[in-house]
Amino acid sequence: NCSVTVSSDVPVAISSSGTPTVTSDLVFGTTGTITGVSVANLDIPHTWINDLDITLTSPDGTTITLIDRICGGENDIDVLLNDGGVTSINAAPCPPDQGNTYQPENALSAFIGEEASGTWTLTVTDNVNQDGGEINGWSLAICTNVVTCTDPTAPTLSFDTDPVCPGETTNLNISGTLNDATSWEVYSTSCGTGLV
C-alpha cells in the first residue's frame, strides 16, 4: 500500500541573514508499518547550496540526514531521494537541480518498521551568513504493510440466557475466535444488534 502526500507547509523562507534553521511539516494520514520511503520533489531554491544541511524526522522521532553541504557555490536543489537511486547525492552533478533521483546522505531505510502516519518534519540549516532561499516544496511517498484480519475460526450459533434488553428471555448470538485468540460475538435482540 503506497501513497504520496505533498507538504502544504510551504514556502518557508530561509533568511540570508545569520545562520537560520527552518522547518516544514508534512502530515501523512495513511496508517501502517513503513516498508519504504522516498522524498519527492525536494525543491529548495538557494544561493550557495554548500551552506545547507537537510534532515528528515519521522513521527516516531527518527532523524536522518538527506543532504549534507554538497557542491560548492552553485545554486538550487531540485531532486528526488530514494535508496534505490543510481548514485549518491554526494556524486550528483552540481547543482542537482534537474529533478533526478539520487540516494540520500543517510539511508531512508532507517524508517522501515515505524508507523507511517503523523507529522514528518523537514529541517534545513543554513550554516553560513549572507546567502538565502526557501523551501519551495517537498512530498513523501511511503509504502506500508496493510494489516488485515483473516481466517477466523468457524462461528458457532448459540442462545444466550443472559438477556441484553429488559424483558428478554433469550438472545441469538453468533460468536467465534480469531487465530490470535481474540474472541468476537455478534448478538441480535429485539432492541438492537451489536458486535463485542
Side-chain angles (χ1 to χ4, degrees):
N1 179 37
C2 301
S3 57
V4 177
T5 300
V6 178
S7 174
S8 59
D9 186 24
V10 288
V12 177
I14 304 170
S15 175
S16 60
S17 176
T19 56
T21 295
V22 301
T23 62
S24 172
D25 289 337
L26 181 153
V27 179
F28 197 83
T30 303
T31 60
T33 302
I34 296 170
T35 59
V37 178
S38 293
V39 180
N41 306 313
L42 181 60
D43 181 10
I44 302 178
H46 189 284
T47 53
W48 205 284
I49 57 176
N50 184 255
D51 295 350
L52 303 180
D53 290 323
I54 304 169
T55 64
L56 179 65
T57 303
S58 70
D60 282 357
T62 300
T63 298
I64 69 162
T65 299
L66 300 176
I67 296 175
D68 183 15
R69 305 189 73 168
I70 59 171
C71 300
E74 293 86 356
N75 301 336
D76 307 334
I77 296 171
D78 183 4
V79 295
L80 187 151
L81 298 173
N82 182 283
D83 289 350
V86 173
T87 188
S88 166
I89 188 65
N90 294 314
C94 293
D97 62 355
Q98 302 298 311
N100 294 324
T101 301
Y102 302 101
Q103 300 164 18
E105 177 78 19
N106 297 146
L108 291 159
S109 60
F111 299 125
I112 290 177
E114 296 187 358
E115 169 58 40
S117 64
T119 301
W120 293 74
T121 301
L122 184 77
T123 302
V124 178
T125 300
D126 189 339
N127 293 282
V128 181
N129 190 21
Q130 295 183 346
D131 293 284
E134 67 179 17
I135 304 172
N136 192 47
W138 66 290
S139 59
L140 286 179
I142 300 180
C143 296
T144 60
N145 281 331
V146 179
V147 179
T148 57
C149 178
T150 58
D151 298 329
T153 58
T156 58
L157 185 64
S158 65
F159 286 92
D160 187 348
T161 57
D162 183 17
V164 174
C165 305
E168 290 282 346
T169 56
T170 58
N171 300 317
L172 177 63
N173 296 315
I174 302 173
S175 62
T177 304
L178 305 180
N179 287 341
D180 65 356
T182 303
S183 61
W184 58 271
E185 181 178 9
V186 178
Y187 63 84
S188 178
T189 73
S190 63
C191 64
T193 59
L195 174 66
V196 294

